């Protein structure tokens, strides 16, 4: 199937997408129309892509995000640098002024997103040509990164289990993934405030979350704002409380990367060492199912594993959390299984939901489409565990998808047609990242 990749053309197009989505040099919006503000993990990935050709602009992206850090260390999932737009939730919907921790003078959401920022900062630093300037940047942002991770442990793991909880599916970054179906059934949206969905303005309705989910998304936000974003109350009372596979894997990887930065700065590492040890132990003790050969999220409210087979299970490879045995099972029994993830009937790696999962839908958001971010993390994870050929296949599939269908938010794994938002920034940023391996030797 392998199509020849015109790397130079693709690189230029990817840079053009990032440039076009740049809002006044302050932040890069995730998509041309659908997402007109700054998103937490999108910003980190965008900075990673930018760092290959415009390091100062990459630093600016991170500074803009960190400006929105809450006083207690929380790094919000959306920052509305430019006020309201046609996007829902609008900034005023969050009512963050109810919290004494909200940042001064900036509008943000009141929940978080996967902590991939420290990882991106470390990757940027490793490859920086100007070591001194890069170290100065690391020194500048390190305290904020550390505070963010300390907040995660304190606010979202008050029982010190080693695993942090998310309180809203949006916090997972994979909003409507099948692993949230069961815990969301338990959320009864008894009193939903008036709101108007705006996510169909630019994207087809059948590629977005269904209405029953959306009602619950809004209901949860309403609870949190009524509780003034007090994290103790949220942890104690949120009807949705999940120790997520993807979120905790990325937190672990970020803690590891933060530790590398700490060492370079001569900062103490004891606290990070302890976090790493407890997360590593808990992740494998609680989330691994030897019976299935898969990692599953854990539902703290239902007190059970959410046994849905989806792409989040592979992020443990990216994080280095899996043993050789676990990696072998994940890859050989699942990733390479044509009924689950490997091409057969579909053409492209890696569907976001196993194809034989009850909830699989090849064009609906996180229920099946291929996402370039997931492909990148899976491919990097495979390399870590020595699966070089498979890693290369997935990288190749990713570049083919982009070349064929443009910089889309996600792709149909059957035929590679694009879905969701167009002009999608992290697709562009990670295209640059993936091309860098062959075009721009470090
Ligand atoms: C969607 C994705 C989320 C992403 C956001 C902006 O909500 O699920 O992960 O950060 O779009 O791109």
């Amino acid at each position: 199937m392998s199509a020849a990749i015109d790397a130079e053309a693709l690189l230029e197009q990817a840079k053009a997408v990032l440039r076009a989505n740049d809002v006044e040099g302050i932040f890069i919006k995730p998509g041309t129309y659908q997402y007109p503000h700054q998103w937490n993990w999108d910003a980190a990935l965008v900075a990673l892509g930018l760092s290959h050709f415009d390091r100062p602009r990459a630093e600016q992206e991170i500074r803009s995000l960190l400006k929105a850090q809450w006083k207690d260390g929380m790094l919000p999932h959306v920052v509305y640098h430019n006020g309201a737009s046609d996007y829902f939730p609008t900034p005023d919907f969050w009512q963050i002024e109810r919290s004494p921790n909200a940042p001064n003078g900036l509008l943000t959401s009141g929940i978080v997103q996967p902590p991939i920022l420290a990882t991106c900062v470390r990757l940027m630093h490793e490859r920086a040509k100007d070591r001194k300037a890069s170290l100065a940047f690391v020194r500048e942002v390190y305290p904020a990164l550390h505070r963010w991770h300390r907040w995660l442990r304190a606010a979202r793991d008050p029982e010190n289990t080693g695993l942090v909880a998310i309180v809203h599916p949006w916090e997972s970054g994979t909003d409507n993934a099948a692993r949230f179906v069961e815990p969301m059934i338990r959320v009864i949206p008894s009193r939903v405030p008036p709101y108007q969905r705006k996510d169909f303005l630019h994207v087809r309705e059948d590629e977005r979350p269904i209405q029953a989910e959306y009602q619950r998304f809004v209901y949860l936000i309403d609870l949190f704002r009524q509780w003034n974003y007090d994290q103790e109350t949220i942890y104690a009372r949120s009807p949705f409380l999940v120790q997520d596979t993807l979120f905790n894997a990325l937190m672990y990887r970020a803690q590891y990367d933060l530790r590398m930065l700490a060492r370079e700065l001569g900062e103490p590492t004891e606290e990070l060492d302890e976090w790493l040890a407890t997360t590593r132990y808990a992740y494998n003790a609680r989330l691994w199912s030897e019976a299935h050969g898969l990692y599953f999220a854990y539902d703290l409210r239902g007190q059970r594993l959410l046994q849905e087979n989806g792409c989040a299970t592979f992020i443990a490879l990216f994080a280095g959390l899996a043993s050789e045995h676990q990696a072998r099972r994940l890859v050989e029994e699942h990733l390479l299984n044509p009924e689950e993830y490997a091409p057969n009937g579909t053409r492209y790696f890696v569907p976001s939901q196993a194809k034989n999962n009850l909830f699989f839908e090849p064009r609906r958001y996180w229920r099946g489409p291929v996402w370039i971010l997931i492909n990148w993390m899976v491919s990097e994870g495979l390399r870590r565990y020595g699966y070089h050929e498979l890693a290369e296949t997935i990288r190749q599939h990713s570049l083919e998808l982009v070349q064929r269908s443009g910089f889309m938010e996600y792709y149909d794994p059957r035929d590679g047609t694009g879905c969701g938002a167009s002009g999608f920034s992290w697709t562009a940023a990670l295209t640059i990242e993936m091309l860098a391996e062959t075009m721009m030797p470090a």
Side-chain angles (χ1 to χ4, degrees), residues 29-31 34-35 37-43 45 77-78 87 113-114 169-176 208 365-366 371 373 409-410 421 424-426:
K29 54 187 177 179
Q34 181 80 341
Y35 304 107
H37 306 286
Q38 189 182 37
W39 264 255
N40 182 329
W41 73 332
D42 298 65
L45 297 163
H77 105 291
V78 180
Y87 180 80
Q113 257 193 336
W170 287 353
E171 293 198 319
S172 75
T174 57
D175 317 9
N176 69 334
R208 298 286 307 172
Y365 213 38
W366 292 98
W371 288 71
L373 166 59
E409 190 176 11
Y410 37 96
F424 201 63
S425 293
W426 86 36

Side-chain angles (χ1 to χ4, degrees), residues 348 362-363 401 404-405 408 410-419:
Y348 294 96
R363 298 183 73 82
L401 283 168
R404 200 207 118 109
S405 303
M408 297 301 288
Y410 37 96
Y411 303 85
D412 188 326
R414 295 170 302 185
D415 59 8
T417 50
C419 334

